[in-house]
Amino acid sequence: MNRRQIVAFIGAAVASMLLAIGASLLIPSISTLVAQSNPTLLVSTAASLKDAMEEIKTNYQQSQSEVIINFNFGASGGLLQQIQQGAPADIFISAGKKQVDTLEQAGKLVPGTRDVLAKNRLVLIVPRNSTGVTSFFDLSKDNIRKIAIGEPRSVPAGQYAEQVLQKLKIYDKLKSKFVYANNVRQVLAAVESGNADAGLVYQTDAAISNKVKIVVAASETYHSPIVYPMAVLKQSKNVRAATEFVQYLSSEQAKSILNKYGFILP
C-alpha cells in the first residue's frame, strides 16, 4: 500500500468514526425512545382515596404497564390551589363537588371527562378504648377536650363536619375544642395517637384503622352530598392516557376495589 492509499484509508476510517459518533449523539437509543413514549400521569387526588387508588394503580398497570402513574395526595382545597397556581397535574379527583366546579367554570377541564368516582359517609370516631361518647351531643362533655376536624377552608371533610354540628345546634359550644388538620388522614392520626379525644372523618378512613372506633354516622341530610368528582385537566400533556385512566376508574374492576375499601358506588 503506497502513501496515498494509506492517507486515504486513514481519512475514511476517521470519517466513519466521526459519523458514528455524530449518529449516536443525534439518534436516541431504542430504550430512550421507549422511555419517552411511555406516558407519565400525575393524579392529584383527595387523601382519603390513598389506599384504594394505590391498589387500583397496581391493577391497572398489570395490563397497561407502559403508563407511569404518580399520585399527589392531599386536601382537595389545597390541590385545587396548586392547580390554579400552575402546578402540574393530569387528573384531579376531589372529595367535594365545589373544587371541580371551580375548575370547570374556569374552562380548565377536558370536556366529557368529568364523572363521579364514588361517594362516602361522615362518621364520628374516638380512640378504640374510649368510653362515654355515644352520640355527637356527648362531645360537649368536659372530658372531651380536643375534637379533630379538617380545616374547613381547604378540607371538604371539615366543611361537612361544620355543617353537621351546626345542624345539630352544637357547633358554637364545641368550636373552642376544635383541633384543625390539613387533611382527613391527619384527623384520623390525631385520634389514633390520642392527641384528640374525638374526630370527624370519612367512613372509609375509620375502616382502615384498628386504633379507632366509629361512634355514629352523620345523617346525610345534615351535610352536602359527599361525592368524589374526577376529570382530566386541559393542561395535561397526556390527555389520551389520562382519559383512558379516568375511564378505567369507572370500570367494574376499579369499582370492586373502591367497594372493598368502603366507598359507596355512584
Side-chain angles (χ1 to χ4, degrees):
M1 182 180 294
N2 59 35
R3 183 176 179 180
R4 179 177 295 178
Q5 290 174 319
I6 292 173
V7 171
F9 175 78
I10 293 174
V14 171
S16 297
M17 182 176 67
L18 291 173
L19 183 62
I21 293 173
S24 65
L25 292 174
L26 294 173
I27 303 175
S29 65
I30 292 176
S31 61
T32 301
L33 286 172
V34 170
Q36 290 177 344
S37 67
N38 288 352
T40 298
L41 300 178
L42 179 58
V43 184
S44 287
T45 180
S48 52
L49 284 164
K50 185 177 189 303
D51 302 273
M53 291 303 295
E54 292 285 7
E55 186 169 336
I56 287 173
K57 167 187 170 178
T58 299
N59 278 25
Y60 185 70
Q61 292 186 320
Q62 288 177 358
S63 60
Q64 302 292 334
S65 58
E66 76 283 358
V67 181
I68 301 169
I69 300 173
N70 297 313
F71 294 114
N72 177 23
F73 295 107
S76 299
L79 296 175
L80 168 63
Q81 189 174 39
Q82 291 174 18
I83 293 168
Q84 289 175 318
Q85 292 174 350
D90 298 279
I91 298 167
F92 181 39
I93 308 175
S94 172
K97 181 175 177 290
K98 181 173 71 173
Q99 290 76 19
V100 178
D101 284 348
T102 297
L103 292 178
E104 186 167 40
Q105 290 163 8
K108 295 184 180 296
L109 305 184
V110 175
T113 63
R114 180 170 178 170
D115 202 355
V116 174
L117 174 66
K119 299 180 180 180
N120 216 331
R121 296 289 303 275
L122 189 74
V123 298
L124 172 63
I125 60 170
V126 294
R128 171 62 63 182
N129 298 323
S130 177
T131 59
V133 177
T134 60
S135 73
F136 283 104
F137 296 102
D138 288 331
L139 294 176
S140 60
K141 291 181 177 179
D142 291 339
N143 63 316
I144 304 299
R145 297 181 177 86
K146 294 182 179 180
I147 304 168
I149 67 171
E151 166 54 61
R153 290 173 295 181
S154 59
V155 184
Q159 297 164 12
Y160 302 134
E162 281 196 341
Q163 290 173 4
V164 169
L165 299 176
Q166 288 170 346
K167 185 73 173 180
L168 294 171
K169 302 185 185 306
I170 56 176
Y171 175 83
D172 290 335
K173 293 180 182 178
L174 302 178
K175 62 182 179 181
S176 63
K177 300 183 179 185
F178 291 159
V179 176
Y180 296 105
N182 291 329
N183 61 62
V184 72
R185 287 298 172 91
Q186 287 186 9
V187 175
L188 176 65
V191 180
E192 285 181 323
S193 64
N195 289 327
D197 303 301
L200 281 88
V201 299
Y202 297 125
Q203 175 178 269
T204 51
D205 298 303
I208 66 170
S209 176
N210 59 7
K211 297 179 181 179
V212 304
K213 62 182 178 182
I214 295 175
V215 174
V216 64
S219 169
E220 293 181 274
T221 62
Y222 289 175
H223 56 74
S224 302
I226 301 176
V227 295
Y228 291 78
M230 59 182 176
V232 177
L233 300 170
K234 280 186 177 179
Q235 70 183 35
S236 173
K237 296 180 180 179
N238 295 290
V239 170
R240 179 177 178 180
T243 301
E244 289 175 351
F245 184 58
V246 164
Q247 291 172 344
Y248 177 79
L249 291 175
S250 296
S251 70
E252 292 304 316
Q253 297 97 315
K255 286 180 179 179
S256 66
I257 294 173
L258 290 165
N259 185 62
K260 184 179 81 171
Y261 283 94
F263 288 93
I264 302 166
L265 301 179

